[in-house]
Every structure is written in C-alpha cells, then in structure tokens.
Amino acid sequence: MSQTVKKQTLRPTDEAIAQEIAVSLSIHEQYTTNHPGETFEQGVAAALLWVLGNGELPNGEATGWIN
C-alpha cells in the first residue's frame, strides 16, 4: 500500500509579504514593470507560489524567501 507524504512548506511572514507588495508598487511607479516578458497571470501564479513557500521572491533576486 502506498501512502502520499505531503511535504510541509513554510510560508513567508506577513512582514515579508508586505515588503514584496511595497517593492512591487514602487517598481510599477518607477518603471511600469519589472517583468516585461511575463503576463499578468504568470505574475499572479508566481506570487501565489511564493506565498505558499514554493517559489522565488516575486520581485527579488534571491532563489527563495528564506535567505
């Protein structure tokens, strides 16, 4: 019998989420977009993956939210 083991992931702190929101708004005000080759939908998916702890910082250079 096979059991599925769910990998536990940690989500970013509320502070880290708020910081990414501020970065996003600042980038948009200054440069319009930081990701000209991506669609809105791709940005939403990247942000949600990051919130779940499964992706890179949406507007950062780090490889993950735990640095």
Side-chain angles (χ1 to χ4, degrees), residues 30-67:
Q30 293 177 10
Y31 307 107
T32 305
T33 183
N34 196 35
H35 302 279
E38 292 186 10
T39 65
F40 171 80
E41 293 80 4
Q42 288 170 312
V44 170
L48 293 174
L49 286 169
W50 174 70
V51 168
L52 291 173
N54 297 326
E56 297 180 0
L57 286 167
N59 289 303
E61 296 177 1
T63 57
W65 67 273
I66 300 175
N67 297 325

Side-chain angles (χ1 to χ4, degrees), residues 8-49:
Q8 182 178 358
T9 56
L10 301 174
R11 79 168 192 79
T13 63
D14 290 349
E15 183 179 308
I17 293 169
Q19 183 176 357
E20 282 300 304
I21 291 169
V23 169
S24 295
L25 294 174
S26 175
I27 288 171
H28 181 71
E29 286 177 6
Q30 293 177 10
Y31 307 107
T32 305
T33 183
N34 196 35
H35 302 279
E38 292 186 10
T39 65
F40 171 80
E41 293 80 4
Q42 288 170 312
V44 170
L48 293 174
L49 286 169

